Amino acid sequence: MQRLAQIFLTLSVLFAVWGTSGTRPVSGSIMLFLAGLAFIFSIIDWAKDKRLGFGDLAKNPFLIGGAILVIMGIIQVLNPHTLAYDADGYMHARPLNHIAWLPSGILADAEVYGSAKAVAELISAYFFASALWLNARSRKFCEFILKFFALNIALMAVFAIIQQKLNAQAAYFTFASDSHFFGPYYYRNAAAAAIFMGICAAFASAALDFSPKKPRGKIFAALWILIAAPGIFAILKTPSVGAKASCALFFALLALFIAFSFLKAKFGKAKALIATSILIFISIFAAFFAANAYYQKLPPTKKASVLGRAELLPVSKEVFFKAPILGSGADSYGYEAAKVEAKKSFGRRFANSAHCSIISYACEYGAAGLCAIFAVFCVWIKRLARRRKFLASANIICLTGLSASALHSLFDIFLQIPSAMFFFALLMTLSASIFPGEAENGL
């Protein structure tokens, strides 16, 4: 059963990279199916293993907190407060009778913003993350899935660049989109975020294969860094400021980590900490001036995009306080924001998201949903703390990439995209996993 679970996890990663990101009904259904099978076989494998009890199952950070979020979402779908539909080129919405003290959402067609589609995407990510964590006790599988992900993202980046060079008008030259696509993804910012996480996986793979005593290990590490190159180039070709900033932050943190490792080996931990702290202090000032200079050079449309996201904060505040406990429902932000902004300068524009993942989840799932998310991260942090003495360079690099992605998610909506949710859960799991050969490998 474990082998079957790992096969379907691998297929889930493969399709998440190449399957148009899971934001359309067909690709989303395939991702849900593959992740569901991986979850089922993982649970069966856990049940058959007499060495594992319910306590071990509860250590899975995604399982309980994620289940609370999923249950809330299912109730939202069954108890809609608004019917949304597209007619005559306009979006229409009318209220429905519902149970006010239960979670409630939006009833809509699959192609329209609605709770059923968003909850199905959440469930697929829940199945994938929970199954991946259950299989992370296999060190060889952790190494395999990390490298498999990194390699596929590199190939996807090459494909995206070629498609752009050929002036493609649709994803795969076939699937048209009303948004700006990149490679196989309908949303270019989500593609850039996914590619960035693949770059992190490639550098983690390099750290995993690196061995200071073996020429072969150095060659493999260099090859993985080379594999990351197409992803870096692809991000430079996208207009995603957030992905570029994530890359810059990742490489800065990686440089600090390498410097700390080198200084620690030469002068000891205390002196290394002091020197690294000075470097961080200097870097903060340098980063501030560099970021300001970069912002000033942005075209007016990009500056307007940045300022527009900031202007959504007071709107999001009002949306949140309309349903602070249980939220207004998955994918409901656009409808609720339109109600708020109809009285202001927002006019007839439709903001589908708060452009901040944590605020979007707060508005759509309320304080109860935030507590569930908080519980997930608490259990994960506890796992990291317990394994801190065993964390290798590959773990630290995954954690660094995860941190940069989390920061990026405060200014964009890619963590509402199924593929990006899969990859975020992948880095989250691998950052706390034990890789084979970690004692002799690493920086």
Side-chain angles (χ1 to χ4, degrees):
M1 290 299 174
Q2 185 185 53
R3 182 60 58 86
L4 284 172
Q6 291 173 359
I7 288 171
F8 282 109
L9 282 169
T10 304
L11 290 173
S12 294
V13 171
L14 181 68
F15 198 81
V17 173
W18 296 100
T20 66
S21 73
T23 55
R24 297 299 187 272
V26 174
S27 61
S29 298
I30 294 172
M31 287 179 67
L32 177 60
F33 174 74
L34 293 173
L37 287 176
F39 179 75
I40 290 169
F41 288 123
S42 296
I43 291 293
I44 293 173
D45 178 63
W46 165 81
K48 290 174 64 178
D49 194 334
K50 296 180 180 179
R51 298 170 298 174
L52 302 174
F54 282 101
D56 296 290
L57 195 63
K59 291 176 183 177
N60 185 331
F62 303 105
L63 203 65
I64 297 175
I68 293 171
L69 211 61
V70 165
I71 290 168
M72 287 182 66
I74 292 171
I75 296 172
Q76 289 175 359
V77 173
L78 297 175
N79 183 42
H81 61 72
T82 297
L83 172 65
Y85 56 97
D86 194 354
D88 303 322
Y90 294 93
M91 185 74 74
H92 300 265
R94 63 180 179 84
L96 297 173
N97 293 325
H98 65 284
I99 302 173
W101 52 270
L102 286 176
S104 185
I106 304 290
L107 176 62
D109 293 333
E111 296 295 338
V112 181
Y113 289 102
S115 296
K117 175 177 173 291
V119 171
E121 292 169 352
L122 176 68
I123 292 173
S124 67
Y126 170 72
F127 283 156
F128 175 80
S130 298
L132 184 65
W133 190 276
L134 288 171
N135 284 274
R137 64 184 186 272
S138 169
R139 299 185 181 192
K140 288 185 178 180
F141 181 69
C142 287
E143 180 180 13
F144 165 76
I145 203 71
L146 174 72
K147 294 180 177 180
F148 182 79
F149 169 55
L151 185 58
N152 273 274
I153 286 291
L155 293 172
M156 189 265 271
V158 171
F159 170 73
I161 294 166
I162 292 172
Q163 196 171 232
Q164 190 179 66
K165 289 290 185 182
L166 294 176
N167 196 29
Q169 300 301 306
Y172 287 118
F173 303 92
T174 303
F175 304 107
S177 170
D178 55 359
S179 61
H180 299 286
F181 73 94
F182 189 68
Y185 284 20
Y186 288 111
Y187 179 46
R188 63 190 179 191
N189 283 14
I195 290 170
F196 167 69
M197 287 186 268
I199 292 168
C200 299
F203 274 87
S205 299
L208 199 60
D209 282 350
F210 176 76
S211 175
K213 299 177 182 179
K214 299 177 182 178
R216 183 181 176 185
K218 293 178 182 178
I219 293 170
F220 283 167
L223 285 174
W224 281 113
I225 293 172
L226 189 63
I227 285 170
I232 297 169
F233 183 73
I235 285 179
L236 292 174
K237 298 293 286 183
T238 70
S240 175
V241 176
K244 291 183 178 75
S246 295
C247 261
L249 178 61
F250 172 73
F251 287 122
L253 293 174
L254 185 60
L256 286 171
F257 173 62
I258 293 171
F260 173 77
S261 300
F262 175 78
L263 292 170
K264 181 182 175 184
K266 291 288 184 180
F267 306 106
K269 188 175 182 180
K271 291 180 179 178
L273 280 173
I274 294 171
T276 307
S277 299
I278 294 172
L279 285 173
I280 291 172
F281 183 74
I282 295 171
S283 300
I284 289 172
F285 280 97
F288 173 78
F289 288 111
N292 184 59
Y294 180 77
Y295 175 77
Q296 296 303 327
K297 293 179 181 178
L298 288 175
T301 52
K302 276 294 175 184
K303 288 183 179 179
S305 175
V306 173
L307 292 174
R309 297 179 189 206
E311 289 172 356
L312 282 173
L313 290 174
V315 178
S316 300
K317 179 183 175 183
E318 292 194 41
V319 171
F320 173 76
F321 280 108
K322 288 178 71 175
I325 307 301
L326 298 175
S328 53
D331 249 2
S332 67
Y333 183 89
Y335 305 102
E336 300 303 323
K339 293 176 187 176
V340 171
E341 285 299 322
K343 306 171 186 176
K344 302 179 183 178
S345 61
F346 195 83
R348 297 178 181 178
R349 291 175 63 192
F350 183 84
N352 63 317
S353 170
H355 284 280
C356 172
S357 291
I358 195 66
I359 291 177
S360 287
Y361 280 111
C363 291
E364 297 179 356
Y365 290 89
L370 286 182
C371 288
I373 294 171
F374 181 71
V376 170
F377 281 94
C378 280
V379 178
W380 170 71
I381 290 170
K382 184 178 178 181
R383 171 68 164 257
L384 273 176
R386 194 170 69 249
R387 290 194 169 182
R388 64 187 182 277
K389 294 181 180 179
F390 302 100
L391 297 179
S393 299
N395 300 106
I396 302 300
I397 292 171
C398 287
L399 184 59
T400 302
L402 184 75
S403 301
S405 290
L407 185 62
H408 182 192
S409 76
L410 297 180
F411 305 95
D412 211 338
I413 59 170
F414 65 88
L415 283 185
Q416 275 71 34
I417 305 296
S419 288
M421 287 193 281
F422 275 36
F423 304 149
F424 192 84
L426 180 67
L427 288 185
M428 195 171 170
T429 299
L430 295 179
S431 67
S433 300
I434 295 179
F435 288 105
E438 65 200 13
E440 61 271 16
N441 292 349
L443 299 172

